[in-house]
Amino acid sequence: MHMLNLGILAHVDAGKTTLTERLLHAAGVTDELGSVDDGSTRTDTLALERQRGITIKSAVVSFPLDGVTVNLIDTPGHPDFIAEVERVLGVLDGAVLVVSAVEGVQAQTRVLMRTLRRLGIPTLVFVNKIDRRGARDDAVLAQLSRRLAVPLVPMGRATALGTRAAGFLPGLGPAASDALADHDDALLAACLDGDVPEPRLRAALAEQTRRGLVHPVYFGSAATGAGVPDLIAGIERLLPAACGDPAGPFSGTVFKVERGPAGEKIAYARLFSGTLGVRDRIPFGGDRTPVGGRPEGRVTGLSVFEDGTDLRRDSAGAGRIVKVWGLGGIRIGDALGLPGRAYEHHFAPPTLETVVVPGPGADRRALHVALTQLAEQDPLIDVRPDGVRQETSVSLYGEVQKEVVQATLADEYGLDVTFRETTTICVERLAGSGAAVEFNKKDGNPFLATVGLRVEPAPPGAGVGFRLEVELGSMPYAFFKAVEDTVRESLGQGLHGWRIPDCTVTMTHSGYSPRQSHAHQGFDKSMSSTGYDFRGLTPLVLTEALRRAGTQVHEPMHRFRLEAPVDTLGALLPVLAGFGAVPQRTRTEGALAVLEGAVPAARVHGLEQRLPGLTRGEGELETAFDHYAPVVRGPVPERPRTDHNPLSRKEYLLNVTGRVAG
């Protein structure tokens, strides 16, 4: 039987989880429909998900179709949990994008479709809630075409729209042949010669859908079941089966990690090639792979998803999604076995952070452990301890995510916390190049080490590169590794306290004191270099090189799309300017004006609050992270340091060595 790993994606409240429940019920996996309102759904298993009625963590559930076993992955719809969606995308064979017939295309819909198109994931569109008052069909279809700008093939039309009797009447209309002919010259010629037989159209539809060239659109209601049988038929006939050779070399990717009742790690992985068995010893890891090679672990347990549940198995082959026990150091994004497809970031990182404030009597050590475990399940919750102020910061996408972290700490760890005001995360970029060097036993250098570094700008997205202009054999490799590791760690805090994400660092000088000992005595650390010397000296040299290069703080910028009545522009434009928003394109569509441009991320919330009053409640604002830009308004944002402050040599040496060098 073929496998299909299917993702259900949508904007918040589009009815995605309800559709998942309807698919399971239609496939005979469940006897009763689960309800989001009642907290009885199969995929929203967390207590917090049931209480709030939203999906927070991705969940896998399986159901059989004729000749196809579908592993269905329900993902969060709220943009605060977009990182959870990101991790799922790399394991999908196909997707269903759910859109509400009432709310229509939302900002999240556009973000998701752009990403699905970029990754070439075959996608069906399901316009849900056709039974709700205010539901639209042709208008939503036109909106999908205009705002998503992708080839769509309507698979039929809605009937009795906006009533409980709403249904779906299947049938390919003239728009189907037009959309399909755009990607098939032979079909275009046949269309020009006359009517094309429907079997040929459907064959072309299946072929182009599997290649991600067109997107079939279904109308229906997950609540009543209208249109769902047709969607199921589309899933079975139009989306491609999972591929992979069970007899090939083993390769897989971890997309989710959770902890079991005893605190053990459980990894969710997609197997792309080969077969995995219990008691197999496999390598795993990603970019963090240590010098000595990838870590290994022995699989102590394995389960696969079948008939609505997960079942223990001794082995599983390519195409499967599995749960794996026994890999203690596993992390999200790790490759299992042979390194396969690289783990990619498809969405922007969080641009907000906040300080977690423990409540009365809360154990700070227990709080740190709890936050670390949450970060294992969501790596973009960057836990940033500040030993100087005895504080811990976390990065976030938004206020809802903050509430979820707070509730999770209370419910699962018994920790009462609050948060300080949310602030924007900036980055620093080099303004030029700079170099510095300190020599062993010279000019007040208390460390038995020579380190010279040159820093140079790198393009956005290039990351941190570390190079050598000295002979690798000029000193023990461990000392070079100590310098590189310390450079990468120290770049987490630039001259203004922000991370420097993109630069090239070159080691220009090196030197050390060889291992020495007194006669008839052991190793004398006071006369011989150790890794401590290189780890201690590197931040001072790097900071001086950064000073000479100079850095500039960049703030996150969102691209925005604003629709508002044309007659409100006179009041709206000065307010946009006051929030630092710069319209780059303006056009009119009937009585509406459409403005597109950029706005500082820190000002988006304030703009959202002002918009209804300026546009009589008719304005619609979409925003999404786009890039970082130099801070040009107000004072330069500073971030409190959490290290030993190499900006001050005296303070740094007192903190690190307990003395100030002469």
Side-chain angles (χ1 to χ4, degrees), residues 345 347-353 379-380 382 384 395 424-430 459-465 487-503 542 546 550-556 625 628 637-643:
H345 288 297
F347 303 112
T351 57
L352 303 173
E353 71 176 352
L380 292 182
D382 181 32
R384 185 172 178 264
S395 56
T424 303
I425 300 175
C426 299
V427 299
E428 290 184 51
R429 299 202 185 280
L430 296 184
V464 175
V487 162
R488 294 185 182 279
E489 179 182 351
S490 299
L491 287 172
Q493 300 183 71
L495 301 182
H496 299 278
W498 303 103
R499 182 173 64 94
I500 301 176
D502 305 299
C503 68
L542 179 64
L546 292 175
T551 68
Q552 188 172 24
V553 176
H554 286 56
E555 64 180 333
F625 172 82
Y628 287 94
E638 301 281 341
R639 191 187 207 186
R641 302 193 71 88
T642 61
D643 56 11

Short mmCIF file of all heavy atoms in Angstrom, two decimals, residues 345 347-353 379-380 382 384 395 424-430 459-465 487-503 542 546 550-556 625 628 637-643:
data_model
loop_
_atom_site.label_atom_id
_atom_site.label_comp_id
_atom_site.label_asym_id
_atom_site.label_seq_id
_atom_site.Cartn_x
_atom_site.Cartn_y
_atom_site.Cartn_z
N HIS A 345 15.35 26.87 6.88
CA HIS A 345 14.44 27.82 7.51
C HIS A 345 13.63 28.49 6.40
O HIS A 345 14.18 29.15 5.53
CB HIS A 345 15.22 28.86 8.32
CG HIS A 345 15.81 28.31 9.57
ND1 HIS A 345 15.06 27.80 10.60
CD2 HIS A 345 17.10 28.15 9.95
CE1 HIS A 345 15.85 27.37 11.56
NE2 HIS A 345 17.09 27.56 11.19
N PHE A 347 10.70 30.35 7.16
CA PHE A 347 10.04 31.55 7.67
C PHE A 347 11.05 32.36 8.49
O PHE A 347 12.11 31.86 8.88
CB PHE A 347 8.84 31.17 8.54
CG PHE A 347 7.84 30.32 7.82
CD1 PHE A 347 7.63 29.01 8.18
CD2 PHE A 347 7.11 30.83 6.76
CE1 PHE A 347 6.72 28.21 7.51
CE2 PHE A 347 6.19 30.05 6.08
CZ PHE A 347 5.99 28.73 6.46
N ALA A 348 10.70 33.58 8.76
CA ALA A 348 11.59 34.46 9.50
C ALA A 348 11.72 34.01 10.95
O ALA A 348 10.81 33.42 11.51
CB ALA A 348 11.03 35.89 9.47
N PRO A 349 12.89 34.26 11.57
CA PRO A 349 13.04 33.94 12.99
C PRO A 349 12.22 34.89 13.84
O PRO A 349 11.74 35.93 13.35
CB PRO A 349 14.54 34.15 13.22
CG PRO A 349 14.94 35.18 12.21
CD PRO A 349 14.10 34.88 11.00
N PRO A 350 12.01 34.58 15.12
CA PRO A 350 11.28 35.50 16.00
C PRO A 350 11.97 36.85 16.06
O PRO A 350 13.20 36.93 16.03
CB PRO A 350 11.32 34.79 17.36
CG PRO A 350 11.63 33.37 17.07
CD PRO A 350 12.46 33.37 15.83
N THR A 351 11.19 37.90 16.15
CA THR A 351 11.75 39.25 16.24
C THR A 351 11.42 39.92 17.57
O THR A 351 11.63 41.12 17.73
CB THR A 351 11.23 40.13 15.08
OG1 THR A 351 9.80 40.16 15.12
CG2 THR A 351 11.69 39.59 13.74
N LEU A 352 10.89 39.15 18.52
CA LEU A 352 10.53 39.69 19.82
C LEU A 352 11.20 38.88 20.92
O LEU A 352 11.49 37.70 20.75
CB LEU A 352 9.01 39.66 20.02
CG LEU A 352 8.15 40.38 18.99
CD1 LEU A 352 6.67 40.10 19.24
CD2 LEU A 352 8.42 41.87 19.01
N GLU A 353 11.44 39.51 22.07
CA GLU A 353 11.93 38.79 23.23
C GLU A 353 11.37 39.41 24.50
O GLU A 353 10.92 40.57 24.50
CB GLU A 353 13.45 38.75 23.27
CG GLU A 353 14.14 40.05 23.59
CD GLU A 353 15.65 39.91 23.72
OE1 GLU A 353 16.14 38.76 23.71
OE2 GLU A 353 16.33 40.93 23.85
N PRO A 379 13.06 25.00 19.00
CA PRO A 379 14.39 25.62 19.06
C PRO A 379 14.39 27.13 18.90
O PRO A 379 15.34 27.78 19.31
CB PRO A 379 15.13 24.95 17.89
CG PRO A 379 14.40 23.69 17.64
CD PRO A 379 12.97 23.98 17.95
N LEU A 380 13.34 27.70 18.29
CA LEU A 380 13.32 29.14 18.10
C LEU A 380 12.92 29.89 19.38
O LEU A 380 12.95 31.11 19.40
CB LEU A 380 12.40 29.51 16.94
CG LEU A 380 12.92 29.07 15.57
CD1 LEU A 380 11.97 29.52 14.47
CD2 LEU A 380 14.31 29.61 15.30
N ASP A 382 14.56 30.83 21.92
CA ASP A 382 15.97 30.93 22.28
C ASP A 382 16.08 31.35 23.75
O ASP A 382 15.72 32.46 24.12
CB ASP A 382 16.66 31.95 21.38
CG ASP A 382 18.13 32.09 21.69
OD1 ASP A 382 18.74 31.09 22.11
OD2 ASP A 382 18.68 33.20 21.54
N ARG A 384 17.99 32.62 26.79
CA ARG A 384 19.19 33.45 26.93
C ARG A 384 19.39 33.80 28.41
O ARG A 384 18.84 34.77 28.91
CB ARG A 384 19.02 34.71 26.09
CG ARG A 384 20.23 35.63 26.03
CD ARG A 384 19.98 36.73 25.00
NE ARG A 384 21.07 37.66 24.94
CZ ARG A 384 21.13 38.82 25.60
NH1 ARG A 384 20.12 39.18 26.38
NH2 ARG A 384 22.16 39.62 25.48
N SER A 395 12.97 34.24 23.24
CA SER A 395 12.51 34.89 22.01
C SER A 395 11.16 34.33 21.62
O SER A 395 10.86 33.16 21.86
CB SER A 395 13.52 34.68 20.88
OG SER A 395 13.76 33.30 20.68
N THR A 424 11.78 44.37 20.87
CA THR A 424 12.15 43.91 19.53
C THR A 424 13.59 43.43 19.52
O THR A 424 14.47 44.05 20.13
CB THR A 424 11.98 45.04 18.51
OG1 THR A 424 10.63 45.51 18.57
CG2 THR A 424 12.29 44.57 17.10
N ILE A 425 13.85 42.32 18.82
CA ILE A 425 15.21 41.80 18.68
C ILE A 425 15.86 42.43 17.46
O ILE A 425 15.37 42.27 16.34
CB ILE A 425 15.20 40.27 18.54
CG1 ILE A 425 14.56 39.61 19.77
CG2 ILE A 425 16.62 39.74 18.34
CD1 ILE A 425 14.42 38.10 19.65
N CYS A 426 16.96 43.13 17.66
CA CYS A 426 17.73 43.71 16.58
C CYS A 426 18.96 42.86 16.29
O CYS A 426 19.23 41.87 16.98
CB CYS A 426 18.16 45.13 16.94
SG CYS A 426 16.79 46.28 17.23
N VAL A 427 19.70 43.21 15.26
CA VAL A 427 20.99 42.58 14.97
C VAL A 427 22.00 43.69 14.72
O VAL A 427 21.64 44.85 14.51
CB VAL A 427 20.93 41.64 13.74
CG1 VAL A 427 19.94 40.51 13.98
CG2 VAL A 427 20.58 42.40 12.46
N GLU A 428 23.27 43.33 14.75
CA GLU A 428 24.33 44.27 14.40
C GLU A 428 25.04 43.79 13.13
O GLU A 428 25.24 42.59 12.93
CB GLU A 428 25.36 44.39 15.53
CG GLU A 428 24.84 45.10 16.76
CD GLU A 428 25.91 45.28 17.84
OE1 GLU A 428 27.00 45.80 17.51
OE2 GLU A 428 25.64 44.90 18.99
N ARG A 429 25.38 44.75 12.28
CA ARG A 429 26.14 44.43 11.08
C ARG A 429 27.41 45.28 11.05
O ARG A 429 27.42 46.43 11.52
CB ARG A 429 25.31 44.68 9.82
CG ARG A 429 24.05 43.84 9.76
CD ARG A 429 23.55 43.69 8.34
NE ARG A 429 22.28 42.98 8.28
CZ ARG A 429 22.16 41.66 8.35
NH1 ARG A 429 23.23 40.91 8.49
NH2 ARG A 429 20.96 41.09 8.29
N LEU A 430 28.48 44.71 10.50
CA LEU A 430 29.75 45.42 10.45
C LEU A 430 29.67 46.59 9.48
O LEU A 430 29.13 46.46 8.37
CB LEU A 430 30.87 44.48 10.02
CG LEU A 430 31.19 43.31 10.97
CD1 LEU A 430 32.40 42.54 10.45
CD2 LEU A 430 31.48 43.81 12.38
N PRO A 459 27.52 39.24 3.36
CA PRO A 459 26.15 39.56 2.94
C PRO A 459 25.12 38.98 3.91
O PRO A 459 25.37 37.96 4.55
CB PRO A 459 26.04 38.89 1.56
CG PRO A 459 27.44 38.65 1.12
CD PRO A 459 28.24 38.45 2.36
N PRO A 460 23.95 39.63 4.03
CA PRO A 460 22.88 39.08 4.87
C PRO A 460 22.56 37.64 4.48
O PRO A 460 22.42 37.32 3.30
CB PRO A 460 21.70 40.02 4.60
CG PRO A 460 22.34 41.31 4.19
CD PRO A 460 23.57 40.93 3.43
N GLY A 461 22.48 36.79 5.49
CA GLY A 461 22.18 35.39 5.25
C GLY A 461 23.40 34.52 5.06
O GLY A 461 23.28 33.29 4.98
N ALA A 462 24.59 35.12 4.98
CA ALA A 462 25.80 34.34 4.74
C ALA A 462 26.25 33.57 5.97
O ALA A 462 26.95 32.57 5.87
CB ALA A 462 26.93 35.25 4.26
N GLY A 463 25.86 34.06 7.16
CA GLY A 463 26.29 33.41 8.39
C GLY A 463 27.70 33.83 8.77
O GLY A 463 28.29 34.75 8.20
N VAL A 464 28.24 33.14 9.77
CA VAL A 464 29.58 33.44 10.28
C VAL A 464 30.58 32.47 9.66
O VAL A 464 30.43 31.25 9.77
CB VAL A 464 29.63 33.34 11.81
CG1 VAL A 464 31.06 33.54 12.32
CG2 VAL A 464 28.70 34.37 12.44
N GLY A 465 31.58 33.02 8.99
CA GLY A 465 32.65 32.20 8.44
C GLY A 465 33.92 32.39 9.24
O GLY A 465 34.25 33.50 9.65
N VAL A 487 34.88 32.61 19.27
CA VAL A 487 34.47 33.65 18.32
C VAL A 487 32.99 33.54 18.03
O VAL A 487 32.24 34.53 18.08
CB VAL A 487 35.30 33.54 17.02
CG1 VAL A 487 34.60 34.30 15.89
CG2 VAL A 487 36.69 34.07 17.22
N ARG A 488 32.52 32.32 17.71
CA ARG A 488 31.11 32.14 17.37
C ARG A 488 30.22 32.49 18.55
O ARG A 488 29.15 33.10 18.38
CB ARG A 488 30.87 30.71 16.91
CG ARG A 488 31.57 30.38 15.59
CD ARG A 488 31.24 29.00 15.08
NE ARG A 488 31.96 28.69 13.85
CZ ARG A 488 31.59 29.07 12.64
NH1 ARG A 488 30.48 29.78 12.49
NH2 ARG A 488 32.30 28.76 11.57
N GLU A 489 30.63 32.11 19.75
CA GLU A 489 29.83 32.45 20.93
C GLU A 489 29.85 33.95 21.20
O GLU A 489 28.81 34.55 21.49
CB GLU A 489 30.39 31.69 22.14
CG GLU A 489 29.64 31.98 23.43
CD GLU A 489 30.24 31.26 24.63
OE1 GLU A 489 31.13 30.42 24.43
OE2 GLU A 489 29.82 31.57 25.76
N SER A 490 31.01 34.58 21.06
CA SER A 490 31.14 36.00 21.38
C SER A 490 30.38 36.88 20.40
O SER A 490 29.96 37.99 20.75
CB SER A 490 32.62 36.40 21.41
OG SER A 490 33.32 35.68 22.40
N LEU A 491 30.21 36.42 19.16
CA LEU A 491 29.46 37.20 18.17
C LEU A 491 27.98 37.26 18.50
O LEU A 491 27.22 37.96 17.83
CB LEU A 491 29.67 36.63 16.77
CG LEU A 491 31.05 36.88 16.16
CD1 LEU A 491 31.21 36.11 14.86
CD2 LEU A 491 31.30 38.37 15.94
N GLY A 492 27.55 36.53 19.51
CA GLY A 492 26.18 36.64 19.98
C GLY A 492 25.90 37.97 20.64
O GLY A 492 24.73 38.34 20.85
N GLN A 493 26.97 38.74 20.97
CA GLN A 493 26.81 40.05 21.59
C GLN A 493 27.83 41.00 21.00
O GLN A 493 29.01 40.93 21.33
CB GLN A 493 26.97 39.96 23.11
CG GLN A 493 25.95 39.03 23.77
CD GLN A 493 26.07 39.01 25.27
OE1 GLN A 493 25.72 39.99 25.94
NE2 GLN A 493 26.55 37.91 25.81
N GLY A 494 27.36 41.87 20.11
CA GLY A 494 28.25 42.84 19.49
C GLY A 494 28.48 44.04 20.38
O GLY A 494 28.24 44.01 21.60
N LEU A 495 28.92 45.13 19.79
CA LEU A 495 29.26 46.33 20.57
C LEU A 495 28.05 46.92 21.28
O LEU A 495 28.19 47.56 22.33
CB LEU A 495 29.88 47.39 19.65
CG LEU A 495 31.16 46.96 18.90
CD1 LEU A 495 31.68 48.13 18.07
CD2 LEU A 495 32.23 46.48 19.88
N HIS A 496 26.86 46.71 20.72
CA HIS A 496 25.63 47.21 21.35
C HIS A 496 24.84 46.10 22.02
O HIS A 496 23.70 46.30 22.45
CB HIS A 496 24.76 47.91 20.30
CG HIS A 496 25.43 49.10 19.67
ND1 HIS A 496 25.45 50.34 20.26
CD2 HIS A 496 26.11 49.22 18.50
CE1 HIS A 496 26.12 51.19 19.47
NE2 HIS A 496 26.53 50.53 18.41
N GLY A 497 25.42 44.92 22.10
CA GLY A 497 24.77 43.80 22.79
C GLY A 497 23.95 42.89 21.90
O GLY A 497 23.42 41.87 22.38
N TRP A 498 23.82 43.21 20.59
CA TRP A 498 23.01 42.40 19.69
C TRP A 498 23.88 41.40 18.94
O TRP A 498 25.08 41.61 18.75
CB TRP A 498 22.27 43.28 18.69
CG TRP A 498 21.41 44.32 19.32
CD1 TRP A 498 21.68 45.65 19.44
CD2 TRP A 498 20.14 44.12 19.96
NE1 TRP A 498 20.67 46.29 20.10
CE2 TRP A 498 19.70 45.38 20.43
CE3 TRP A 498 19.33 43.01 20.15
CZ2 TRP A 498 18.49 45.55 21.10
CZ3 TRP A 498 18.13 43.16 20.82
CH2 TRP A 498 17.71 44.42 21.28
N ARG A 499 23.27 40.34 18.47
CA ARG A 499 23.98 39.31 17.71
C ARG A 499 24.48 39.86 16.38
O ARG A 499 23.82 40.67 15.74
CB ARG A 499 23.03 38.12 17.47
CG ARG A 499 23.64 36.94 16.73
CD ARG A 499 22.67 35.77 16.71
NE ARG A 499 21.46 36.10 15.96
CZ ARG A 499 21.29 35.82 14.67
NH1 ARG A 499 22.25 35.21 13.99
NH2 ARG A 499 20.16 36.15 14.06
N ILE A 500 25.67 39.42 15.98
CA ILE A 500 26.22 39.74 14.66
C ILE A 500 26.08 38.47 13.82
O ILE A 500 26.86 37.53 13.96
CB ILE A 500 27.69 40.17 14.76
CG1 ILE A 500 27.82 41.40 15.67
CG2 ILE A 500 28.27 40.47 13.38
CD1 ILE A 500 29.25 41.85 15.90
N PRO A 501 25.06 38.39 12.96
CA PRO A 501 24.76 37.13 12.30
C PRO A 501 25.60 36.83 11.06
O PRO A 501 25.72 35.67 10.67
CB PRO A 501 23.28 37.29 11.91
CG PRO A 501 23.12 38.77 11.71
CD PRO A 501 24.06 39.44 12.66
N ASP A 502 26.16 37.87 10.43
CA ASP A 502 26.82 37.66 9.15
C ASP A 502 28.16 38.40 9.12
O ASP A 502 28.19 39.63 9.11
CB ASP A 502 25.94 38.18 8.00
CG ASP A 502 24.55 37.56 8.01
OD1 ASP A 502 24.46 36.33 7.89
OD2 ASP A 502 23.58 38.31 8.17
N CYS A 503 29.26 37.65 9.12
CA CYS A 503 30.58 38.24 9.00
C CYS A 503 31.60 37.14 8.75
O CYS A 503 31.31 35.95 8.95
CB CYS A 503 30.96 39.06 10.24
SG CYS A 503 31.22 38.08 11.72
N LEU A 542 38.62 39.97 19.73
CA LEU A 542 37.48 40.12 18.83
C LEU A 542 36.78 41.46 19.05
O LEU A 542 36.42 42.15 18.08
CB LEU A 542 36.50 38.97 19.03
CG LEU A 542 35.24 39.00 18.16
CD1 LEU A 542 35.60 38.87 16.68
CD2 LEU A 542 34.26 37.91 18.56
N LEU A 546 36.19 44.45 16.37
CA LEU A 546 34.85 44.98 16.08
C LEU A 546 34.83 46.49 16.27
O LEU A 546 34.18 47.22 15.49
CB LEU A 546 33.81 44.32 16.98
CG LEU A 546 33.53 42.83 16.74
CD1 LEU A 546 32.57 42.29 17.80
CD2 LEU A 546 32.94 42.61 15.35
N GLY A 550 33.69 48.87 13.45
CA GLY A 550 32.44 49.57 13.69
C GLY A 550 31.24 48.69 13.37
O GLY A 550 31.30 47.85 12.46
N THR A 551 30.19 48.83 14.13
CA THR A 551 28.96 48.08 13.86
C THR A 551 27.78 49.03 13.86
O THR A 551 27.81 50.10 14.48
CB THR A 551 28.71 46.98 14.92
OG1 THR A 551 28.42 47.59 16.18
CG2 THR A 551 29.88 46.03 15.04
N GLN A 552 26.73 48.63 13.15
CA GLN A 552 25.50 49.41 13.08
C GLN A 552 24.34 48.51 13.46
O GLN A 552 24.25 47.37 12.98
CB GLN A 552 25.30 49.98 11.68
CG GLN A 552 24.13 50.95 11.57
CD GLN A 552 24.09 51.64 10.21
OE1 GLN A 552 24.60 51.11 9.24
NE2 GLN A 552 23.46 52.81 10.15
N VAL A 553 23.46 49.01 14.31
CA VAL A 553 22.31 48.24 14.74
C VAL A 553 21.23 48.29 13.64
O VAL A 553 20.91 49.36 13.12
CB VAL A 553 21.74 48.78 16.07
CG1 VAL A 553 20.47 48.02 16.45
CG2 VAL A 553 22.78 48.66 17.18
N HIS A 554 20.72 47.11 13.29
CA HIS A 554 19.64 46.99 12.31
C HIS A 554 18.40 46.45 13.01
O HIS A 554 18.50 45.51 13.81
CB HIS A 554 20.03 46.03 11.18
CG HIS A 554 21.01 46.60 10.21
ND1 HIS A 554 22.24 47.11 10.59
CD2 HIS A 554 20.96 46.73 8.85
CE1 HIS A 554 22.89 47.53 9.51
NE2 HIS A 554 22.14 47.32 8.45
N GLU A 555 17.25 47.03 12.72
CA GLU A 555 16.00 46.58 13.31
C GLU A 555 15.20 45.77 12.30
O GLU A 555 15.34 45.96 11.08
CB GLU A 555 15.17 47.77 13.79
CG GLU A 555 14.73 48.71 12.67
CD GLU A 555 13.91 49.87 13.19
OE1 GLU A 555 13.25 49.72 14.24
OE2 GLU A 555 13.92 50.94 12.54
N PRO A 556 14.34 44.85 12.76
CA PRO A 556 13.53 44.07 11.82
C PRO A 556 12.47 44.94 11.17
O PRO A 556 11.81 45.75 11.83
CB PRO A 556 12.91 42.99 12.71
CG PRO A 556 12.92 43.55 14.09
CD PRO A 556 14.12 44.45 14.16
N PHE A 625 7.48 39.65 8.39
CA PHE A 625 8.90 40.04 8.41
C PHE A 625 9.49 39.98 7.00
O PHE A 625 9.22 39.06 6.23
CB PHE A 625 9.68 39.11 9.33
CG PHE A 625 11.17 39.32 9.27
CD1 PHE A 625 11.76 40.33 9.99
CD2 PHE A 625 11.96 38.52 8.46
CE1 PHE A 625 13.14 40.54 9.91
CE2 PHE A 625 13.33 38.72 8.37
CZ PHE A 625 13.93 39.73 9.10
N TYR A 628 16.13 43.20 7.68
CA TYR A 628 16.63 44.10 8.72
C TYR A 628 17.16 45.37 8.04
O TYR A 628 17.76 45.30 6.96
CB TYR A 628 17.77 43.45 9.51
CG TYR A 628 17.31 42.37 10.45
CD1 TYR A 628 17.32 41.03 10.06
CD2 TYR A 628 16.88 42.67 11.74
CE1 TYR A 628 16.90 40.03 10.93
CE2 TYR A 628 16.47 41.68 12.61
CZ TYR A 628 16.48 40.36 12.21
OH TYR A 628 16.06 39.38 13.06
N PRO A 637 19.20 51.30 19.82
CA PRO A 637 18.80 50.34 20.87
C PRO A 637 20.02 49.59 21.41
O PRO A 637 20.88 49.14 20.66
CB PRO A 637 17.86 49.38 20.12
CG PRO A 637 17.48 50.06 18.85
CD PRO A 637 18.63 50.96 18.51
N GLU A 638 20.09 49.48 22.72
CA GLU A 638 21.15 48.74 23.39
C GLU A 638 20.54 47.53 24.08
O GLU A 638 19.45 47.60 24.63
CB GLU A 638 21.86 49.62 24.43
CG GLU A 638 22.50 50.88 23.87
CD GLU A 638 23.83 50.62 23.18
OE1 GLU A 638 24.43 49.55 23.44
OE2 GLU A 638 24.26 51.47 22.38
N ARG A 639 21.27 46.43 24.06
CA ARG A 639 20.81 45.21 24.73
C ARG A 639 21.73 44.91 25.90
O ARG A 639 22.96 44.89 25.73
CB ARG A 639 20.84 44.05 23.74
CG ARG A 639 20.13 42.78 24.23
CD ARG A 639 20.39 41.65 23.24
NE ARG A 639 19.35 40.65 23.23
CZ ARG A 639 19.42 39.53 22.52
NH1 ARG A 639 20.49 39.28 21.79
NH2 ARG A 639 18.43 38.66 22.55
N PRO A 640 21.19 44.70 27.10
CA PRO A 640 22.05 44.41 28.26
C PRO A 640 22.93 43.19 28.00
O PRO A 640 22.47 42.18 27.48
CB PRO A 640 21.05 44.15 29.39
CG PRO A 640 19.79 44.83 28.96
CD PRO A 640 19.76 44.73 27.48
N ARG A 641 24.19 43.28 28.35
CA ARG A 641 25.13 42.18 28.12
C ARG A 641 24.94 41.09 29.17
O ARG A 641 24.59 41.37 30.32
CB ARG A 641 26.57 42.67 28.15
CG ARG A 641 26.87 43.76 27.13
CD ARG A 641 28.36 43.98 27.00
NE ARG A 641 29.01 42.86 26.31
CZ ARG A 641 29.16 42.77 24.99
NH1 ARG A 641 28.69 43.74 24.21
NH2 ARG A 641 29.75 41.74 24.46
N THR A 642 25.21 39.87 28.75
CA THR A 642 25.11 38.73 29.68
C THR A 642 26.46 38.03 29.84
O THR A 642 26.54 36.99 30.47
CB THR A 642 24.08 37.70 29.16
OG1 THR A 642 24.50 37.20 27.89
CG2 THR A 642 22.70 38.33 29.03
N ASP A 643 27.53 38.63 29.23
CA ASP A 643 28.85 38.00 29.34
C ASP A 643 29.70 38.78 30.36
O ASP A 643 29.17 39.55 31.16
CB ASP A 643 29.53 37.95 27.97
CG ASP A 643 29.64 39.34 27.32
OD1 ASP A 643 29.37 40.34 28.01
OD2 ASP A 643 29.99 39.41 26.12
#
